[in-house]
Amino acid sequence: MECSEADCERPAAVELHIPWNENRLVCAAHARVLGRQDGVVADPDPERGDALLEEE
Protein backbone atom coordinates (compact mmCIF):
# COMPACT_ATOMS: atom_id res chain seq x y z
CA MET A 1 0.00 0.00 0.00
CA GLU A 2 1.26 3.48 -0.85
CA CYS A 3 1.42 6.53 1.38
CA SER A 4 -1.90 8.40 1.50
CA GLU A 5 -0.25 11.81 1.08
CA ALA A 6 -0.64 13.46 -2.33
CA ASP A 7 2.15 12.84 -4.85
CA CYS A 8 3.97 10.37 -2.58
CA GLU A 9 4.75 6.91 -3.94
CA ARG A 10 6.62 5.56 -0.90
CA PRO A 11 5.19 2.51 0.87
CA ALA A 12 2.92 3.18 3.86
CA ALA A 13 4.57 2.02 7.07
CA VAL A 14 2.84 4.02 9.81
CA GLU A 15 -0.79 4.56 10.76
CA LEU A 16 -1.46 8.05 12.06
CA HIS A 17 -4.28 8.29 14.59
CA ILE A 18 -5.64 11.83 14.13
CA PRO A 19 -8.31 12.96 16.62
CA TRP A 20 -9.85 15.61 14.33
CA ASN A 21 -9.78 13.55 11.11
CA GLU A 22 -9.74 9.97 9.79
CA ASN A 23 -6.71 7.80 10.50
CA ARG A 24 -4.23 7.63 7.62
CA LEU A 25 -1.53 5.28 6.45
CA VAL A 26 1.62 7.17 5.56
CA CYS A 27 5.29 6.56 4.77
CA ALA A 28 7.99 7.00 7.41
CA ALA A 29 8.99 10.43 6.09
CA HIS A 30 5.47 11.85 6.34
CA ALA A 31 4.96 10.17 9.73
CA ARG A 32 8.00 12.01 11.11
CA VAL A 33 6.53 15.36 10.07
CA LEU A 34 2.81 14.82 10.67
CA GLY A 35 3.34 12.87 13.90
CA ARG A 36 4.70 16.00 15.61
CA GLN A 37 1.28 17.65 15.71
CA ASP A 38 -0.42 17.75 19.11
CA GLY A 39 -2.76 14.83 19.62
CA VAL A 40 -1.50 12.75 16.67
CA VAL A 41 -0.25 9.26 17.52
CA ALA A 42 2.04 7.48 15.07
CA ASP A 43 1.64 3.70 15.18
CA PRO A 44 4.33 1.90 13.13
CA ASP A 45 3.29 -1.31 11.40
CA PRO A 46 5.74 -3.99 12.65
CA GLU A 47 5.36 -5.95 9.41
CA ARG A 48 6.53 -2.91 7.43
CA GLY A 49 9.73 -2.34 9.41
CA ASP A 50 11.82 -2.45 6.24
CA ALA A 51 9.93 0.60 4.91
CA LEU A 52 10.73 2.50 8.10
CA LEU A 53 14.43 2.21 7.33
CA GLU A 54 14.31 3.29 3.66
CA GLU A 55 16.58 6.08 2.55
CA GLU A 56 14.85 9.06 0.96
Side-chain angles (χ1 to χ4, degrees):
M1 174 175 281
E2 285 187 1
C3 179
S4 64
E5 292 299 298
D7 298 324
C8 184
E9 296 179 3
R10 294 182 185 106
V14 178
E15 182 175 9
L16 293 181
H17 299 276
I18 306 169
W20 59 88
N21 206 342
E22 292 183 21
N23 293 351
R24 312 187 243 188
L25 294 172
V26 297
C27 66
H30 280 111
R32 281 191 294 273
V33 174
L34 299 171
R36 293 178 184 211
Q37 298 177 50
D38 283 341
V40 175
V41 176
D43 186 17
D45 182 350
E47 293 184 17
R48 299 291 308 177
D50 57 329
L52 292 171
L53 301 174
E54 282 187 4
E55 302 269 334
E56 295 180 29

